């Protein structure tokens, strides 16, 4: 059994790592709630079409990274990201009458790719989606929530917000035509994947990680040169809103989203503190997604953040909860210790019951686990219907009546 290891690309979250993850997840959930986003949870697996249609059948995720399997004649895929499942839930549950709909999600995602620092085959994300609002005010609010989360985690000084516009459908169509005109004569220099995308989804080439593709794309025309007036106004209002909120940003004209249902806003919070894996939170506007999936025309914008990457950036894991140690002295006190520990836990105290050992051994354990106080009692205390409470920071102790114990212990929460 000692040779058993976790599957490559997965990891055990031991208590310290789990506390880091929980700090990220709880900060995101709490802030999302403050911004009016209600939590939603979609299944970990969906019918494969949910992802192959929304992520594009030429994307690396669909062609190389999805965990897909057949069951009872149906093709099922472990979710590689969260937005598609939320969009499917929006359609399946008839939520079109509930817009604007603001939801927050968190949980594991799955992609088959080369494991590396901050990137696992089973990883975790937190994310938000705002559906049903066409105004750039929604984009400002969603980005502000992302910036607030990074600030809450103490990471604002370690990240930079990069921003771009993809324009509306008209602007995008004009840009696509210009991009194809630029790339077609250079197709021989593109990778095999990008040559396949040139006809079906040329904007995906802009996302390519292939060095040869990047060299070709470096000279490609920019989205900003093909924006119509409406798209320029939208982007200006977005920037003006972020400026009003004091959220700094840089415009990165090479920041794109290759799928056709994306429009207007694309953004990423990046860092240099994790080496090559620089993006910690990213999102964009996807006004065409839900209609493409068969639902009503519904604008949307959202972001997702990698929990592993954010957790790695935290200065230190949150300290574990400091419990109250219950220390019985003598065999007759053991049963009372069990009952007292139960009583205190029901009163919302964290309690450690040492299970066995003499008082010295149990006090040593209390010190090891960082207990805040110890409740000590033997025959003498029980005869007086009382316990001795010791402050494990100062060493001070006093006799406390059983009936007043909860009130006395509140100072040690």
């Amino acid at each position: 059994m000692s040779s058993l290891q976790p599957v490559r690309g997965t990891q055990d979250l031991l208590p310290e790592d789990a506390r880091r993850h929980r700090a990220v997840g709880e900060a995101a959930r709490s802030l999302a709630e403050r911004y009016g986003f209600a939590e939603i949870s979609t299944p970990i697996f969906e019918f494969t079409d949910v992802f192959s249609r929304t992520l594009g059948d030429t994307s690396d995720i669909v062609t190389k990274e999805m965990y897909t399997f057949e069951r009872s004649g149906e093709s099922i895929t472990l979710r590689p990201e969260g937005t598609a499942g939320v969009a499917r839930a929006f359609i399946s549950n008839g939520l079109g009458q509930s817009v604007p709909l603001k939801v927050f999600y968190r949980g594991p995602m799955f992609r088959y790719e080369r494991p590396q620092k901050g990137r696992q085959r089973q990883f975790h994300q937190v994310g938000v989606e705002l559906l049903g609002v066409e105004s750039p005010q929604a984009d400002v609010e969603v980005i502000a929530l992302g910036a607030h989360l990074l600030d809450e985690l103490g990471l604002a000084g370690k990240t930079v917000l990069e921003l771009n516009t993809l324009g509306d459908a008209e602007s995008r169509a004009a840009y696509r035509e210009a991009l194809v005109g630029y790339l077609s004569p250079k197709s021989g220099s593109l990778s095999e994947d990008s040559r396949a995308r040139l006809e079906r989804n040329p904007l995906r080439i802009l996302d390519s990680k292939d060095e040869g593709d990047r060299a070709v794309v470096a000279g490609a025309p920019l989205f900003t040169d093909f924006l119509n007036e409406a798209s320029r106004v939208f982007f200006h209002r977005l920037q003006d809103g972020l400026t009003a909120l004091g959220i700094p940003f840089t415009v990165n004209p090479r920041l794109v989203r290759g799928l056709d249902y994306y429009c207007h806003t694309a953004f990423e919070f990046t860092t240099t503190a994790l080496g090559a894996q620089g993006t910690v939170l990213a999102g964009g506007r996807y006004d065409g997604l839900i209609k493409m999936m068969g639902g009503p025309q519904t604008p949307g914008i959202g972001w997702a953040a990698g929990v592993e990457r954010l957790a790695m950036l935290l200065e230190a894991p949150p300290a574990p909860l400091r419990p109250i140690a219950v220390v019985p002295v003598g065999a007759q006190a053991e049963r009372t210790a069990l009952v007292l520990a139960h009583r205190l836990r029901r009163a919302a105290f964290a309690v450690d019951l040492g299970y066995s050992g003499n008082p010295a051994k149990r006090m040593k354990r209390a010190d090891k686990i960082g207990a805040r106080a110890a409740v000590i009692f033997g025959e003498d205390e029980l005869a007086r219907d009382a316990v001795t409470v010791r402050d494990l920071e100062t060493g001070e102790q006093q006799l406390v009546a059983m009936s007043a114990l909860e009130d006395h212990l509140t100072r040690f929460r």
Side-chain angles (χ1 to χ4, degrees):
M1 295 294 289
S2 60
S3 64
L4 286 179
Q5 298 293 322
V7 175
R8 185 167 184 259
T10 67
Q11 60 180 339
D12 300 309
L13 288 179
L14 300 180
E16 180 175 317
D17 291 327
R19 289 199 303 274
R20 286 179 177 271
H21 275 234
R22 187 169 66 248
V24 173
E26 282 302 300
R29 184 205 59 76
S30 177
L31 283 178
E33 188 174 59
R34 200 181 305 175
Y35 281 69
F37 290 77
E39 188 164 4
I40 189 174
S41 181
T42 61
I44 287 177
F45 53 85
E46 301 265 5
F47 290 120
T48 300
D49 280 354
V50 170
F51 303 115
S52 61
R53 291 172 60 190
T54 58
L55 296 174
D57 55 10
T58 63
S59 70
D60 284 347
I61 296 175
V62 172
T63 59
K64 301 175 183 178
E65 298 174 4
M66 292 202 316
Y67 282 92
T68 298
F69 56 95
E70 297 288 329
R71 197 73 172 179
S72 301
E74 296 173 334
S75 181
I76 304 295
T77 295
L78 299 178
R79 63 185 183 195
E81 55 89 42
T83 301
V86 170
R88 194 273 310 147
F90 179 87
I91 297 170
S92 301
N93 293 282
L95 299 179
Q97 301 302 313
S98 301
V99 296
L101 183 69
K102 303 166 73 173
V103 296
F104 162 81
Y105 65 84
R106 54 180 164 178
M109 311 291 168
F110 305 85
R111 295 186 190 179
Y112 185 85
E113 53 186 337
R114 184 171 65 86
Q116 52 191 291
K117 183 178 181 181
R119 186 186 291 272
Q120 299 288 326
R121 288 174 176 172
Q122 177 181 318
F123 58 100
H124 300 78
Q125 286 186 339
V126 292
V128 298
E129 313 292 351
L130 199 170
L131 303 173
V133 181
E134 295 181 346
S135 164
Q137 181 180 353
D139 306 51
V140 174
E141 184 176 54
V142 164
I143 293 173
L145 173 53
H148 196 163
L149 172 60
L150 296 174
D151 190 34
E152 189 85 356
L153 295 172
L155 307 179
K158 297 180 179 179
T159 58
V160 174
L161 170 59
E162 298 183 6
L163 191 69
N164 195 25
T165 177
L166 310 178
D168 59 14
E170 179 183 78
S171 301
R172 195 177 182 87
Y175 177 72
R176 176 179 174 137
E177 182 178 351
L179 182 64
V180 171
Y182 169 81
L183 292 174
S184 293
K186 301 174 175 60
S187 61
S189 300
L190 295 174
S191 66
E192 183 179 350
D193 286 343
S194 289
R195 285 197 296 273
R197 292 168 181 159
L198 185 56
E199 293 184 6
R200 303 179 64 181
N201 197 347
L203 272 66
R204 292 292 304 174
I205 300 173
L206 301 175
D207 290 333
S208 175
K209 303 299 186 290
D210 181 87
E211 291 301 322
D213 291 346
R214 285 174 175 262
V216 173
V217 167
L222 300 176
F223 259 111
T224 50
D225 295 332
F226 295 85
L227 297 177
N228 57 24
E229 183 60 23
S231 298
R232 293 182 187 277
V233 169
F234 191 104
F235 194 39
H236 173 76
R237 289 178 62 193
L238 168 62
Q239 294 176 80
D240 185 61
L242 294 174
T243 300
L245 297 183
I247 299 174
F249 60 87
T250 60
V251 175
N252 177 359
R254 293 298 181 189
L255 178 60
V256 297
R257 299 287 181 264
L259 298 169
D260 287 339
Y261 55 75
Y262 279 104
C263 62
H264 292 300
T265 308
F267 63 94
E268 294 183 356
F269 287 87
T270 61
T271 182
T272 58
L274 294 176
Q277 302 304 323
T279 302
V280 295
L281 188 154
R285 177 168 279 274
Y286 48 85
D287 288 357
L289 173 61
I290 289 176
K291 184 175 182 180
M292 187 206 73
M293 293 179 70
Q297 172 57 38
T298 307
I301 182 169
W303 55 253
V307 174
E308 280 80 2
R309 294 183 187 181
L310 291 177
M312 288 168 60
L313 289 170
L314 295 182
E315 291 290 346
L321 192 64
R322 300 183 66 185
I324 305 297
V326 172
V327 182
V329 180
Q332 291 184 345
E334 292 286 353
R335 185 176 186 277
T336 301
L338 186 65
V339 173
L340 184 58
H342 184 67
R343 167 183 153 185
L344 292 177
R345 288 165 178 159
R346 296 286 292 226
F349 291 94
V351 177
D352 181 77
L353 188 60
Y355 305 116
S356 64
N358 59 34
K361 182 178 180 181
R362 295 194 191 209
M363 290 301 295
K364 186 175 181 180
R365 170 178 168 79
D367 182 64
K368 181 178 180 180
I369 65 174
R372 180 64 182 84
V375 176
I376 309 165
F377 51 93
E379 291 183 23
D380 291 345
E381 285 88 357
L382 294 179
R384 302 170 65 179
D385 196 26
V387 295
T388 296
V389 176
R390 181 182 299 175
D391 184 329
L392 295 180
E393 287 188 353
T394 66
E396 297 176 357
Q397 63 183 45
Q398 66 185 96
L399 194 67
V400 179
M402 278 284 197
S403 60
L405 183 57
E406 284 88 345
D407 286 342
H408 184 82
L409 291 176
T410 55
R411 73 190 68 180
F412 301 120
R413 284 192 189 276

